[in-house]
Amino acid sequence: MKPLHSVSDLVAAGLMTPDAGKAVETVAERYAVALTPYLRDTLAGRGADDPLYAQYVPSPQEAHTTPEEREDPIGDVARSPVKGIVHRYPDRVLLKPLHACAVYCRFCFRREMVGPGGEALSNEEMDAALAYIRDHEAIWEVVVTGGDPLLLSPRRLRGIAQALSTMPHVGVLRLHSRIPAADPGRVTGELIEALTAPGLATWMAVHINHADELTPEVRAALARLVEAGIPLLGQTVLLKGINDNPAALEALFRGLVRNRVKPYYLHHPDLAAGTSHFRNSLAEGQALVKGLRGRVSGVCQPTYVLDIPGGHGKTPAAAAWIAEDGEGTYRVEDFTGTTHRYRG
Ligand SMILES: *Cc1c(COP(=O)(O)O)cnc(C)c1O
Ligand code: SF4
């Protein structure tokens, strides 16, 4: 079965009517479209109001951009010293070996940069990126992202892991991927084996936004990673109409923990072009996150974060639970909303 790469492929697969396909033609010229055979089967019979379908199948709403939206919403370009590297915090860098993905999420924060033309770094460019890491001894953690790094061959992934393991200052290789949820069959023993190397701790952050994504195939892929000794973190985007309600977030974070994935970040959506229909207000996000405290355990709580536009990095976005009210006295709120006085 072949991957789907265009609106006409989606129409041919019965995932859109020809009329619905016509309505997103211009959107699909601007923002890439793709689905794996696994997702094609998973989405069969679902429609625009379904939380999985809406993440992947283009909608006419993407044609609408707002004045605050940007081409490079988190300022990656401004912080790139060599091709493939983004260095924003002293102790960690992003390494972006390719700009292609197995699927193109409709709310993607890098949607103006990712796509099927987003070729991989050449061998020379990869060598230069690795040399940058080797030369900067403050770099302790290398976050391999993209695009989706798990689209690389095991041979190329092994090359990255091996190279990093020869750099004494690099302690952690962290891969960020959508593949476990988008193409779980790709997470084979050979691929997993390529991600680890002596002297290096390999972690993976998996991008999952809804409990329905945790199908038996996805759960099995997550188990293979954990059982190979790779701790898993969950990355979720808060998405209007998809997971922006307490029950959906509770089910997702419980589902992740149940599958040995620690919820790491809940991202407030970035100001990517044509994504305003996916964005809640920060106040709505804060209220949802506050409500989670009483619903699920600490293990199930991610940090709600905002990536500050312009390349200033991420900042915790949750509302405060504690407010100073003068002279060393604080008003502390508990999970039921009752406030208490604290002096200390
Ligand atoms: C998000 C990000 C990181 C990783 O940050 P953590 O908060 O450690 O997950 C590193 N570099 C850049 C440029 C980033 O945007
Ligand atoms: S997998 Fe990540 S980078 Fe690729 S389209 Fe989805 S959000 Fe964007």
Side-chain angles (χ1 to χ4, degrees), residues 13-233:
L15 291 171
M16 300 182 94
T17 63
D19 282 349
K22 272 218 161 54
V24 296
E25 252 167 27
T26 46
V27 160
E29 278 165 23
R30 177 152 180 202
Y31 308 115
V33 172
L35 271 190
T36 57
Y38 160 78
L39 272 174
R40 185 188 76 169
D41 294 348
T42 306
L43 297 188
R46 299 178 187 238
D49 55 353
D50 175 86
L52 258 65
Y53 187 97
Q55 291 187 50
Y56 298 114
V57 178
S59 104
Q61 288 165 289
E62 293 171 47
H64 174 68
T65 53
T66 66
E68 66 276 12
E69 290 176 344
R70 309 169 170 228
E71 254 183 47
D72 178 18
I74 65 171
D76 278 352
V77 173
R79 304 284 168 149
S80 181
V82 297
K83 191 166 177 193
I85 295 278
V86 183
H87 198 176
R88 183 173 292 143
Y89 304 97
D91 72 321
R92 53 208 191 272
V93 288
L94 303 185
L95 170 61
K96 301 199 284 188
L98 82 174
H99 281 108
C101 299
V103 289
Y104 292 102
C105 311
R106 305 326 298 166
F107 46 84
C108 175
F109 64 125
R110 295 205 176 105
R111 62 189 331 211
E112 311 264 15
M113 300 170 204
V114 296
E119 85 292 12
L121 293 183
S122 67
N123 288 335
E124 294 69 32
E125 289 164 342
M126 178 59 84
D127 288 347
L130 291 169
Y132 179 87
I133 298 170
R134 189 184 297 280
D135 291 345
H136 289 76
E137 293 196 351
I139 299 172
W140 175 76
E141 182 167 2
V142 177
V143 179
V144 184
T145 174
D148 200 313
L150 294 197
L151 273 188
L152 295 175
S153 66
R155 185 183 57 81
R156 291 208 81 197
L157 287 166
R158 188 175 300 111
I160 295 172
Q162 295 287 339
L164 295 176
S165 82
T166 66
M167 303 179 198
H169 56 284
V170 175
V172 178
L173 160 61
R174 193 204 314 168
L175 296 125
H176 281 218
S177 179
R178 184 75 151 145
I179 294 277
D183 192 9
R186 192 173 171 87
V187 185
T188 60
E190 189 195 4
L191 183 105
I192 294 170
E193 203 265 327
L195 305 177
T196 55
L200 193 65
T202 299
W203 288 61
M204 189 180 293
V206 295
H207 174 182
I208 298 182
N209 302 315
H210 194 277
D212 282 4
E213 290 173 64
L214 296 166
T215 62
E217 294 92 328
V218 171
R219 296 201 304 266
L222 297 174
R224 289 194 291 279
L225 289 160
V226 174
E227 281 153 25
I230 300 178
L232 298 181
L233 302 170

Side-chain angles (χ1 to χ4, degrees), residues 177-310:
S177 179
R178 184 75 151 145
I179 294 277
D183 192 9
R186 192 173 171 87
V187 185
T188 60
E190 189 195 4
L191 183 105
I192 294 170
E193 203 265 327
L195 305 177
T196 55
L200 193 65
T202 299
W203 288 61
M204 189 180 293
V206 295
H207 174 182
I208 298 182
N209 302 315
H210 194 277
D212 282 4
E213 290 173 64
L214 296 166
T215 62
E217 294 92 328
V218 171
R219 296 201 304 266
L222 297 174
R224 289 194 291 279
L225 289 160
V226 174
E227 281 153 25
I230 300 178
L232 298 181
L233 302 170
Q235 268 197 306
T236 296
V237 186
L238 178 63
L239 293 168
K240 195 172 178 172
I242 291 174
N243 61 17
D244 66 328
N245 66 80
L249 292 176
E250 174 180 338
L252 170 63
F253 297 136
R254 282 189 196 280
L256 290 175
V257 170
R258 189 68 186 77
N259 287 285
R260 296 176 284 185
V261 181
K262 165 72 185 107
Y264 177 54
Y265 280 154
L266 174 65
H267 293 271
H268 191 76
D270 294 312
L271 297 172
T275 63
S276 61
H277 53 298
F278 286 117
R279 285 200 299 277
N280 290 100
S281 67
L282 266 174
E284 288 165 340
Q286 288 177 328
L288 280 166
V289 166
K290 205 158 210 181
L292 273 179
R293 258 297 141 191
R295 290 180 79 108
V296 293
S297 76
V299 180
C300 299
Q301 309 276 344
T303 303
Y304 180 40
V305 288
L306 172 72
D307 222 306
I308 307 168

